[in-house]
Structures are given as structure tokens and as C-alpha cells.
Amino acid sequence: MTDVLVQAAPPAELLASRASDPYPYFRWLREHAPVFAERKRDGRTIWHISRHDDVRALLGDERLSKNPDTVPGYRPGPEGLNKHLVHADPPEHTRLRRLVSTAFLPRRIAALEPFVQHTAEDLLDRLDPDTGVDLIGEFALPLTFTLICTILGVPEHLNTPTTRTMLTNTVVPTAGQRTDARLRTFLTELIAHKRHHPTGELDLLGALVGAREQLTEEELLGTAYLLLLVGHDTTVNLIGNGLLALLRHPDQLQALRADPALIGTGLEELLRYDSPVRDATFRVATEPIRLHGRLIQPGDIVSLLIGSANRDPSHFPDPDRLDLTRNPNDHLAFGRGPHFCIGAALSRMEGALAVNLVLHRLGEIRLAAPDHELRWRPSRVMRGLESLPVTSR
Ligand code: HEM
């Protein structure tokens, strides 16, 4: 039996505005229901954890499993593409993580910096902010996707908007079986291509195809899907949310323009202020967990609200203020513990370069749409804009 204590319900207006601005809702949760039970129609319970200390502790808690196979009928991603490190516990997790992590070591990432700089400049030089520009579709998406395709060794002709849309559609709840099937076919063909055109250790997919005896075909497909998706989708949100925060805080934007080195602490603040991954990924309780008087039962799903943890006033003074000099800034935007983000160094480098280059190459820009017209992607895990229209007029 799940805990049936009566709990307060969040005010309807906070629920209604959650997609565009989740922060008032998060504040309400932290103050009134830090361990909040959502009962699903199918009888499942999802617990939403909103305070910084709790999220931090549970991100590394072994009583929470990352393996969705333990929940009958639950499928957190596209069919046939769920076998990867985000959905694995040790020892599978340790094995899969080891196979991919060397490609993302800080020294490998530092070597990619000139390529990122060149690609970003090239994209920005083609834009004319006088006529209006979408910084997501015309800049952040092609930049981040080109980079992850390069790291993985995806042939150039497959680095297309269609491929990107197919991948990102899988984090939108309405995407159905057909999208899943098309994506599986695409990835199967991609792996076959890598087998027929071996690149050895030169790129990550080449290395994974070569490490055949260490991972199953299903794990290979799942890992390719995971890296292609999270390798760009998250960093798009960092660049998009970060630039939006700056455009809404002209004093901070001017400070960064005047001193580009401010991007050091500044990027951490952008990661904290409007975190690209709002809720941590799938977790399920394997043992009873008692927290703030509530009882999480084995089989219950636990959602760790990173976006809320990063605005918790008990940890960050004046948490709703954007302060690019904030230090210390112990945010949880990249998670924590055994599943800590593999791409943290990569996205920090990409994000810092991208934000500074936009400010310097595009000159004085401002938002080209009022707040209520900005469209947020309908995803529970990701926090990001569909588009970011700016203009210099
Ligand atoms: C600003 C950009 C990014 C943010 C905010 C971010 C955030 C996160 C978070 C919060 C987690 C932990 C999830 C959890 O414990 O439930 C995670 C894991 C992961 N991230 Fe990122 N990420 C970013 C960029 C990237 C990039 C560029 C890659 C490149 C491949 C990447 C690859 C991964 C992988 C493979 C994991 C799973 C690690 C594991 O389960 O052991 N991420 N990320």
C-alpha cells in the first residue's frame, strides 16, 4: 500500500502556468509538499521531490533503481531503444559507462574547441539579426548537432534537420509508435554503415561497433540513440535558456559583454537559473523510503526536480535572482553520483563559446516576441524553448 496521507493540492493557476514558468509551482512544492505524490490513472504513484538536500541525496541513493524493466508495462523511451546507461544499474551501468566515457574526457573535449568556435562563427556569420533570427533553429540546434555527429562519427549526409527532428520528437509525449519505428530503422542503418565503413577508434560509434563482444546489438542501438539525443538536445536548452535569461536581464548581459571572462561563473549561473534538464531521468524505488513523513513504496516512481533544487533558498541566497558572479554555485544541473552527466565538460565548453559568440557577433539584440508568445517544448524532463526569436531592430 502506498502512503495515503491527505496532501495539499497545488493551486490551479500554478499548474496552468507550469509549462512556461515552473518556478512558482516548484516554490509551492518546496514549501507545502516537498515529497508530493501524483497518482496516475493506471494506479502508479510518482513522487516529486523538490528540496535541494533531498534531490542531492536521492540522486546517489542505491535504493532507487534506474532500470525500467522492474516496472511492468512502463516504457520511458522509444520501443527497442531503452537499453543504455541511463536505464541501467551496476554492473551493466558500469560496463556501458566505461565504453563511452573516454570520448568525453576533458582533454578530448578541449581539442574540439577550435572546431566548435569555427562552426559557431560560420553559422552566426550567415545570420542577419536585422531581419530577425531564431537562435534555436538557426544556431543552437545545428551547432550542437554537428558537434555530437562529429564525436560519434555520423556521416555528414545524415546530419540533417530531419534526423534531428526524428530524435527530439521522442522526448515529446505525443510521439507515437511510427516515429519509434522510423528511428529504429535509421539507427540500424547507421550502425550498418559504420560496420561497412570502419573508422576504428577514430570516432565513438566506430569504437562501439568494434567493441562488439562488450555490448549487445540492442545496447549498441540504445547507446547510439541516447548519445545522439542527449548529446545535443540538452545543450540547445542551455544555450537557449541561457540567452533568454540574459535578454531578460540587460544589466547581466551588458556585464558579460563588457567582460567575456565572466562566462566562467556566468555559465554555472545560467545552468542553475533555468536548468536545461528540469527533472532527473527515470528512477524507481526498490525499498521503502521514508522522507518528511511520507512513505515511498517499492515500485513507486521517483522524480527528482533538479530545476526546483537549483532554486532552493536554503541553498542559494536570493535564488530567483540571476547573478553571473554567483560563487559558490553548487547546482545540480548535471546530476550527481554514479549517473553524473558524461557530457558536462563538452556542454560547458560549447555553451560558454556559443553564448559569448552570440553577444559579440550579433551585436545589440533583443527578444523579438513578447513573453506569452514564447513556446516551451512539451517535455517533462527537458526545459527548453521551441524557438528564440531575436532582432537587432
Ligand atoms: C547543458 C547540457 C547538459 C545537461 C544540463 C545535462 C544534464 C544531465 C543530467 C542531469 C544527467 C543525470 C540524469 C540522472 O541522473 O537522472 C545527465 C546524464 C547524462 N548525460 Fe548529460 N547533460 C547535458 C549535456 C550532455 C551532453 C552534451 C552529453 C553528450 C553525450 C550528455 C550525456 C549524458 C549521459 C550519457 C548521461 C547518463 C550518464 C549515466 O547514466 O551514467 N549530456 N546529464
Side-chain angles (χ1 to χ4, degrees), residues 25-26 29 48-51 55 278-280 303-310:
Y25 167 67
F26 287 161
L29 284 181
H48 299 275
I49 314 293
S50 48
R51 290 188 184 161
V55 172
R278 204 187 62 173
D279 301 8
S303 147
L304 303 176
L305 300 172
I306 289 176
S308 172
N310 285 344

Side-chain angles (χ1 to χ4, degrees), residues 254-267:
Q254 291 311 337
L256 182 57
R257 209 194 277 286
D259 176 14
L262 189 55
I263 198 67
T265 50
L267 196 82

Side-chain angles (χ1 to χ4, degrees), residues 85-86 93 97 104 230-231 234 280-281 283 333-335 339 341 343 347:
L85 61 163
V86 167
H93 175 254
R97 188 166 167 117
F104 299 99
V230 300
T234 47
T281 54
R283 276 171 175 76
F334 290 118
H339 292 271
C341 179
S347 23

Side-chain angles (χ1 to χ4, degrees), residues 38-46 71-75 301:
E38 180 190 358
R39 316 277 182 214
K40 304 300 275 186
R41 277 208 201 99
D42 60 10
R44 282 193 192 111
T45 302
I46 302 184
V71 186
Y74 190 77
R75 188 172 67 86
I301 292 169

Side-chain angles (χ1 to χ4, degrees), residues 59 66 85-87 93 97 100 104 148 226-227 230-232 234-235 238 271 275-277 279-283 306 332-336 338-344 346-348 350:
L59 277 166
K66 303 268 300 116
L85 61 163
V86 167
H87 293 156
H93 175 254
R97 188 166 167 117
V100 299
F104 299 99
I148 195 65
L226 172 74
L227 294 177
V230 300
H232 81 286
T234 47
T235 312
L238 168 59
L271 279 159
S275 303
V277 175
D279 301 8
T281 54
F282 173 86
R283 276 171 175 76
I306 289 176
L332 297 171
F334 290 118
R336 189 177 174 266
H339 292 271
F340 181 79
C341 179
I342 280 179
L346 173 63
S347 23
R348 282 185 163 122
E350 254 186 302

Side-chain angles (χ1 to χ4, degrees), residues 352-366:
L353 272 176
V355 168
N356 267 348
L357 279 170
V358 165
L359 299 191
H360 289 90
R361 297 263 283 222
L362 295 190
E364 299 283 339
I365 48 167
R366 59 171 183 80

